[in-house]
């Protein structure tokens, strides 16, 4: 059973939240701390798309972390944002259970760079168009999150943040995508959605912080959880001392 760093028993996920995703939790895993925005009153966690765009205009250009060594490929994902019902929303996918890698996991649309892609932004947009049917002409690039190398697939991933001025009409690719999830910042910033765990991992001297977001029917964790953590920290203007590149040594993210 998981325990907090102080030895208290693990508090179960709020009833109705969490999903069928298989979490390869190692022995010795322990609960972490509160979300970076936990000290903000809930009413102050409301942001607009303009707020997010302004925050990214002030955000440094993130460096690529980790080493692009032999056997490591390049990929890109798209964090698409839009406003609806007085909130900012983002688009996630639940990957098809028929896929060889990361089946049934929740992720941003994206994939590997192909030879014809001019750059990684092109990769992110092309993959999002293929997976969820976005209209490339309707979106604009507003920022970039930290690039990192994943452990499982040995891929250097670059997350791009984009915005569209209206709620997009989407259509999933049934081969790759089981479900399209539209998730609001208002939900993602709720205290009961957040969980952090510290995992002991091979070749690492200290346990690594893993971020979880327990949605209704799905658990977002690993690389996507790390991206959401950084995205929300930037959007709310809070300092996060454990972001994507700190979750493991050398810019490697679990998931």
């Amino acid at each position: 059973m998981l325990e907090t760093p102080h030895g208290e028993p693990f508090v179960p996920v709020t009833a109705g939240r969490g999903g069928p995703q298989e979490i390869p939790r190692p022995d010795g895993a322990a609960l972490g701390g509160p979300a970076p925005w936990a000290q903000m009153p809930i009413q102050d966690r409301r942001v607009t798309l303009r707020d997010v765009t302004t925050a990214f205009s002030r955000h440094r250009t993130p460096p690529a972390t980790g080493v692009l060594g032999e056997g490591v490929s390049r990929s890109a994902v798209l964090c698409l944002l839009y406003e609806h019902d007085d909130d900012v929303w983002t688009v996630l996918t639940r990957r098809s259970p028929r896929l060889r890698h990361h089946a049934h996991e929740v992720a941003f649309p994206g994939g590997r760079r192909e030879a014809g892609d001019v750059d990684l932004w092109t990769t992110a947009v092309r993959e999002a168009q293929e997976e969820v049917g976005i209209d490339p002409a309707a979106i604009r690039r507003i920022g970039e999150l930290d690039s990192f190398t994943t452990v499982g697939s040995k891929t250097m991933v670059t997350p791009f943040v984009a915005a569209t001025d209206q709620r997009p009409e989407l259509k999933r690719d049934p081969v790759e995508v089981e479900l399209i999830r539209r998730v609001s910042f208002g939900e993602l910033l709720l205290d009961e959605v957040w969980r952090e765990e510290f995992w002991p991992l091979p070749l690492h001297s200290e346990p690594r912080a893993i971020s979880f977001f327990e949605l209704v029917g799905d658990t977002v964790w690993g690389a996507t959880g790390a991206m959401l953590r950084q995205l929300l920290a930037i959007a709310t203007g809070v300092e996060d001392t454990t972001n994507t590149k700190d979750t493991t040594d050398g810019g490697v993210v679990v998931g």
Side-chain angles (χ1 to χ4, degrees), residues 65-67 72-73 75 102 112 147-158 222-224 227 248 250-255:
T65 57
V67 179
V72 177
S73 59
S75 292
H102 303 289
R112 293 194 177 190
S147 297
F148 55 85
T149 305
T150 61
V151 172
S153 57
K154 293 185 178 180
T155 301
M156 178 74 84
V157 181
T158 299
T224 306
M227 293 180 224
T248 54
V252 177
V253 174
V254 177

Side-chain angles (χ1 to χ4, degrees), residues 139-198:
I139 67 173
R140 62 185 183 278
R141 176 174 169 179
I142 63 173
E144 185 178 331
L145 301 173
D146 290 342
S147 297
F148 55 85
T149 305
T150 61
V151 172
S153 57
K154 293 185 178 180
T155 301
M156 178 74 84
V157 181
T158 299
F160 291 96
V161 183
T164 183
D165 292 328
Q166 58 185 357
R167 186 178 188 272
E169 295 294 329
L170 302 174
K171 183 178 180 180
R172 69 182 178 92
D173 173 4
V175 175
E176 295 190 54
V177 177
E178 180 182 22
L179 179 72
I180 296 174
R181 291 217 56 157
R182 301 173 187 257
V183 187
S184 70
F185 277 26
E187 179 178 7
L188 291 168
L189 291 166
L190 291 173
D191 292 333
E192 61 264 32
V193 171
W194 167 267
R195 189 174 78 259
E196 178 184 72
E197 297 180 13
F198 285 102

Side-chain angles (χ1 to χ4, degrees), residues 12 24 27 33 67 89 94 100 117-118 123 133 147-148 160 177 183 188 214 219 232 236 239 241 247 252:
D27 292 338
V67 179
W89 296 69
R94 185 195 296 156
R100 292 178 57 191
D117 294 339
V118 175
T123 300
S147 297
F148 55 85
F160 291 96
V177 177
V183 187
L188 291 168
E214 300 290 356
T219 296
L232 294 168
T236 55
E239 182 178 1
T241 57
T247 51
V252 177

Side-chain angles (χ1 to χ4, degrees), residues 4 18 24 51 81 125 136 162-165 169 179 183 188 194 201 204 212 214 230 246:
T4 70
D51 294 332
L81 309 179
V125 174
T164 183
D165 292 328
E169 295 294 329
L179 179 72
V183 187
L188 291 168
W194 167 267
L201 297 173
H204 297 284
F212 293 81
E214 300 290 356
Q230 188 185 23
D246 293 320

Side-chain angles (χ1 to χ4, degrees), residues 196-213:
E196 178 184 72
E197 297 180 13
F198 285 102
W199 287 12
L201 297 173
L203 306 179
H204 297 284
S205 58
E206 298 292 333
R208 302 292 89 193
I210 312 297
S211 301
F212 293 81
F213 293 84

